[in-house]
Amino acid sequence: MDKIYSYSKNRELFNRALKVIPTGVHGHLGPSNGCAIPVDYFPIFSQKAKGAYFWDVDGNKFIDYMCAYGPNILGYGDEDVDRAAIAQIRKGNCVTMPDEVLVEFAELMTSTTKKDWVFFCKNGGDVTSLAVMTARAATGRKKIVMVKGGYHGVAPWTGKPGYAGILPEDIANNLYVHWNEISEFEKLISENPGQIAAFIATPYHHPAFEDNALPAPGYWKAIRDLCTKNGIVLVMDDIRCGFRLDIEGSDSHYGVKADLITFCKAIANGYNVSALCGVDSLKGAVSDVFYTGSYWLSAEPFAAGLACIRKMKEENTVAKLRFIADKLHRGLKDTAKKNGRELIITGEPVMWYMRHANDESFFMHQAWVAECVRRGVFFTNHHNQFINAAVSDEDIAFTLDVADRAYKAIKDRF
């Protein structure tokens, strides 16, 4: 039986939300952001989550390949992580003085990432902004080099010309290069001598709405050498794929040592914490930056992070994620081929982007994703997907069955 989900309670709740919340659900999780087309094929509100699955407010069950846009790495509601967090809450969470777990977590983070210090915040954008501020404080320079199409949060300095609320002054010191184009970075250095504070980029290029791209052979070494030679701080934005490629961080995975590296997403399996890790030579600069937040030193996520990272080490989660992802991708490509389609997967297997060949408008891909979603497999249209360690062989089999039914559902339309 080809069961199709309906969403009456989702719509009722969304109509209530529209009256009191901008766009109903603000930010990237809302239906207005372009990754839920057609909107009425997608749920909007969840009711509960466990393992690789979440349930919406209509009681529909979905295997979730978005993983809360990355934080779910061990599986929703991991008992070891939750147990540690709950124990810490009972002991104390947000207190006038930080709990000793702050130091314990900092020691684990620095030893794990092979960095000298760590600064904790809450969101990914908190630590990418702190990284830029630290680089400017250390170098006395203004300009930041970024990769075109890269994403580093929503602070004004990350904006684009013409975006609502972004002033020309906010981005006046941004310089841009294309991914994998070392010569463009060399040109900017020569054109802006002694003015560039930092080069910031994700470990591999994973923008929305286009194929993801791995670093070309020698790319990161060349960037590292240019930064070292010219006194530029090398910042790796590992918010999205940190701990999925390498437990030490993605700079280690690609054989380079970043001066600063940012983490968030998978650091504590969904508990709210982010981190900037850095080398000793920048410890003074980051200490000079005034940067704080009301809840940044709350103890609960530190306890969760300790349990999460320890478990990932013990269970070699990085290798497990790659094994699961490789099996899933083979099955999806085979299923597409059997239905006369070519599914293209780019990026790293554990955090992949997919589209279909001969579909320049993306209409067919959107239709296939939507048909998967309303049958219980939650993909998104134009963003990378994520894998988590709770995905089983049975889950993959279910996914492939749904993928096949989705292809058959769109056959007559495309």
Side-chain angles (χ1 to χ4, degrees):
M1 180 180 176
D2 191 17
K3 182 180 178 181
I4 306 297
Y5 289 170
S6 59
Y7 304 112
S8 59
K9 290 184 179 178
N10 277 275
R11 304 306 163 202
E12 179 183 345
L13 191 57
F14 185 62
N15 287 333
R16 286 172 53 194
L18 280 170
K19 298 176 182 179
V20 291
I21 301 170
T23 71
V25 179
H26 52 69
H28 64 291
L29 297 181
S32 65
N33 77 340
C35 285
I37 301 172
V39 171
D40 59 353
Y41 281 39
F42 288 75
I44 302 174
F45 295 96
S46 67
Q47 182 183 73
K48 62 179 182 178
K50 185 65 178 177
Y53 287 83
F54 75 86
W55 287 256
D56 73 357
V57 290
D58 283 282
N60 300 314
K61 180 182 179 182
F62 301 84
I63 184 168
D64 185 12
Y65 290 110
M66 284 310 295
C67 297
Y69 280 73
N72 174 21
I73 191 168
L74 295 175
Y76 289 120
D78 181 84
E79 293 181 4
D80 294 315
V81 176
D82 287 355
R83 188 181 301 112
I86 291 168
Q88 183 62 54
I89 287 176
R90 289 172 176 164
K91 180 185 174 190
N93 181 28
C94 194
V95 185
T96 301
M97 296 287 106
D99 190 277
E100 62 183 340
V101 72
L102 164 69
V103 180
E104 190 177 0
F105 190 37
E107 290 171 340
L108 179 63
M109 279 293 296
T110 53
S111 64
T112 299
T113 63
K114 303 298 189 292
K115 294 293 185 285
D116 299 307
W117 53 265
V118 58
F119 190 113
F120 293 115
C121 302
K122 284 297 180 187
N123 297 299
D126 296 336
V127 285
T128 55
S129 291
L130 178 58
V132 167
M133 294 172 72
T134 300
R136 285 173 168 158
T139 63
R141 303 171 180 178
K142 295 181 180 180
K143 297 187 182 297
I144 306 296
V145 177
M146 307 162 68
V147 173
K148 290 183 179 180
Y151 177 78
H152 303 292
V154 294
W157 68 270
T158 70
K160 303 292 189 298
Y163 278 32
I166 302 299
L167 304 177
E169 302 96 292
D170 294 327
I171 55 177
N173 290 300
N174 291 354
L175 303 172
Y176 302 95
V177 295
H178 289 93
W179 176 250
N180 273 334
E181 293 296 334
I182 298 167
S183 62
E184 293 184 10
F185 187 33
E186 292 175 321
K187 182 180 179 183
L188 286 180
I189 292 171
S190 66
E191 292 174 345
N192 300 271
Q195 299 179 63
I196 298 174
F199 175 93
I200 182 170
T202 54
Y204 69 95
H205 196 42
H206 46 69
F209 291 90
E210 65 180 80
D211 288 353
N212 291 183
L214 301 183
Y219 174 75
W220 275 117
K221 182 182 185 305
I223 295 294
R224 172 72 275 176
D225 290 346
L226 286 167
C227 286
T228 301
K229 180 180 178 181
N230 293 279
I232 297 168
V233 177
L234 175 53
V235 183
M236 185 169 285
D237 179 355
D238 215 7
I239 298 298
R240 197 178 292 181
C241 55
F243 302 118
R244 277 188 163 85
L245 304 185
D246 192 308
I247 194 65
E248 293 184 8
S250 298
D251 59 343
S252 178
H253 179 74
Y254 288 120
V256 67
K257 185 173 182 178
D259 298 311
L260 298 172
I261 185 167
T262 64
F263 296 98
C264 189
K265 299 292 187 184
I267 194 172
N269 205 51
Y271 288 87
N272 193 196
V273 60
S274 62
L276 175 66
C277 297
V279 296
D280 191 61
S281 61
L282 295 172
K283 192 174 183 181
V286 75
S287 299
D288 288 341
V289 175
F290 180 74
Y291 208 57
T292 188
S294 297
Y295 305 99
W296 287 4
L297 298 183
S298 62
E300 175 204 26
F302 297 159
L306 278 168
C308 182
I309 293 174
R310 285 169 177 166
K311 187 165 186 175
M312 286 192 289
K313 287 183 174 182
E314 291 168 2
E315 299 188 351
N316 195 6
T317 297
V318 170
K320 183 177 182 181
L321 295 175
R322 183 170 286 270
F323 178 83
I324 295 169
D326 286 341
K327 184 172 184 178
L328 174 66
H329 295 175
R330 287 194 302 271
L332 286 172
K333 287 181 177 180
D334 288 345
T335 302
K337 187 175 182 179
K338 291 174 184 176
N339 284 276
R341 310 288 183 182
E342 182 185 357
L343 182 65
I344 297 172
I345 293 178
T346 57
E348 290 284 358
V350 295
M351 204 184 85
W352 74 101
Y353 178 84
M354 57 186 179
R355 64 177 176 86
H356 284 84
N358 304 313
D359 180 37
E360 293 182 5
S361 68
F362 290 110
F363 289 166
M364 191 275 285
H365 181 73
Q366 290 173 348
W368 175 75
V369 167
E371 295 292 351
C372 285
V373 170
R374 67 177 187 156
R375 288 168 171 80
V377 173
F378 196 91
F379 293 130
T380 192
N381 285 317
H382 305 303
H383 193 282
N384 59 265
Q385 324 289 322
F386 298 86
I387 206 72
N388 70 82
V391 174
S392 66
D393 288 344
E394 291 76 17
D395 295 332
I396 292 176
F398 171 72
T399 300
L400 300 183
D401 176 61
V402 166
D404 182 64
R405 285 187 276 137
Y407 279 122
K408 289 177 170 54
I410 66 170
K411 183 179 180 179
D412 292 339
R413 281 184 275 167
F414 302 92

